[in-house]
Structures are given as C-alpha cells and as structure tokens.
C-alpha cells in the first residue's frame, strides 16, 4: 500500500468514495468539478495491485493554517492504518510547506483525537476558513467539530 499524489485518472474513484461516505452522513459531498479544480490537494492510497483504497486532501487556508478534508478509506480496508497514513502524509506535507497548524471539520472526533488533534471552538478559526461553507447544505447550522493540531514547521 502506498500513499501518493492523486492524478486526474483517480478523481472519478475519489468522487465515488466521497459520495458513498456523504450518503451515510460521514462527510460532506463535493462536486466532481470541485475535485478536478483541487486535484493538486489530493493524496490517494494505492494497493499493491494498483487499485485505490482511500483519499485525503490538504487545502491551504492562510499563511499558517491548512485543512485536512475529504478523508475517506474504503469500508473493506478500514482499521488497517490507511486513515492514519493519509493524515500523517498530509501533516508531513504541511510541515514541508512551512505551515504550523492543520485543522479538520469532522464527525470523527475519536479518530482525529487519536491522531493528535484537539477540539477548538469553530470561532477560533479565521473567517477565511468559512468561504466554502456558504455552499454547504447545512449552512449555517454546522454540526461538525473543529479540531486542530500544531505541527513543527520545517521552515
Ligand atoms: C475515519 C477513517 C478515515 C479512519 O480510517 P481507518 O483507515 O479506518 O483508520 P486507521 O486504521 O488508520 O486508524 C488509525 C488509528 O485511529 C484509531 N481509530 C480509528 N477510528 C477511531 C475512532 N472512531 N475513535 C478512536 N480511534 C479511532 C485506530 O484504532 C488506529 O489506532 P492505532 O494507529 O493506534 O492502531 C475511516 O473510518 C473513514 O473513511 N470513515 C468514513 C469517512 C469519514 O468519516 N471521514 C472523516 C471526514 S473528516
């Protein structure tokens, strides 16, 4: 299993995986056009036979803040460390870019706590974070939990 940067040919899989999770209320759906536009944010998990099993995106918000979003692992391979590998690769990328704080808006509080994130008030995040929220079907009644991790930036 490897974690690698996504390529255009991966994005239909990513869309299907995220839609499946969104239908179960686990995360918010993203249109395929939005995924294409943000292709460079995405990582995918690829198995030995070349099939895909998960995805995650690191989206930069401000000079010292990025978001881990669209994290999903195929149901058949959950609990095997893929979610951790995807998040840790995002955090390493953020560190390399000189970003000191990464946040997530999530229903998976237990998982992100296990990854070293802690809960914060949504209002503690800068307003710039909320630019996407206007397009969310739940706006303005967001029921996700805001979680942050401070990382030692490389520069
Ligand atoms: C959340 C999700 C990505 C986790 O992926 P996963 O591959 O099953 O997680 P991992 O196997 O890498 O788990 C990593 C660690 O977190 C722990 N963990 C996983 N889920 C947990 C939870 N709900 N509460 C507490 N700990 C949890 C695991 O026990 C594991 O611990 P360890 O490394 O000490 O052994 C996966 O369940 C998923 O795709 N869920 C649906 C989509 C979703 O909710 N995405 C989050 C949107 S922000």
């Amino acid at each position: 299993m490897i974690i690698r940067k996504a390529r255009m040919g991966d994005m239909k899989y990513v869309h299907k995986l995220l839609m499946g999770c969104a239908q179960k209320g686990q995360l918010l759906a993203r249109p395929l056009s939005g995924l294409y536009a943000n292709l460079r944010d995405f990582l995918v998990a690829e198995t030995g036979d070349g099939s895909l099993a998960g995805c995650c995106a690191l989206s930069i918000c401000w000079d010292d803040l990025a978001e881990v979003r669209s994290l999903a692992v195929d149901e058949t391979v959950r609990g095997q460390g893929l979610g951790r590998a995807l998040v840790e690769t995002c955090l390493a990328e953020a560190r390399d870019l000189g970003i000191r704080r990464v946040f997530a808006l999530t229903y998976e509080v237990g998982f992100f706590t296990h990854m070293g994130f802690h809960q914060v008030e949504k209002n503690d995040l800068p307003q710039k974070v909320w630019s996407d929220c206007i397009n969310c079907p739940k706006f303005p009644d967001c029921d996700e939990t805001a979680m942050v991790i401070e990382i030692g930036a490389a520069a």
Side-chain angles (χ1 to χ4, degrees):
M1 188 72 73
I2 58 160
I3 308 297
R4 62 162 174 79
K5 295 293 283 181
R7 298 190 279 265
M8 198 50 94
D10 303 327
M11 296 320 270
K12 288 217 168 86
Y13 164 82
V14 167
H15 185 243
K16 195 172 163 203
L17 178 63
L18 295 178
M19 284 300 286
C21 292
Q23 278 159 7
K24 294 184 177 127
Q26 296 166 332
L27 46 70
L28 301 174
R30 293 178 74 173
L32 196 51
S33 58
L35 296 180
Y36 290 150
N38 294 287
L39 165 67
R40 280 175 289 197
D41 288 348
F42 272 88
L43 297 168
V44 291
E46 185 181 304
T47 60
D49 67 3
S51 60
L52 299 178
C55 67
C56 187
L58 180 76
S59 168
I60 298 171
C61 301
W62 206 240
D63 65 344
D64 64 347
L65 187 67
E67 177 181 10
V68 169
R69 58 189 301 190
S70 301
L71 168 67
V73 171
D74 191 289
E75 269 177 355
T76 59
V77 288
R78 285 186 194 163
Q80 298 178 28
L82 270 188
R84 175 188 281 283
L86 285 160
V87 170
E88 286 181 346
T89 307
C90 275
L91 297 180
E93 190 179 352
R95 202 173 287 116
D96 286 348
L97 291 168
I99 294 167
R100 290 195 306 268
R101 282 196 313 154
V102 175
F103 77 96
L105 292 169
T106 188
Y107 302 114
E108 280 285 351
V109 174
F111 171 80
F112 278 98
T113 302
H114 208 73
M115 294 297 105
F117 288 66
H118 59 91
Q119 291 186 45
V120 293
E121 289 297 325
K122 292 194 189 93
N123 291 341
D124 291 346
L125 297 172
Q127 238 179 349
K128 173 77 176 66
V129 163
W130 310 115
S131 57
D132 278 349
C133 295
I134 207 101
N135 302 315
C136 175
K138 296 198 172 174
F139 181 81
D141 300 316
C142 175
D143 58 356
E144 292 186 304
T145 299
M147 303 194 71
V148 168
I149 186 169
E150 276 84 26
I151 52 174

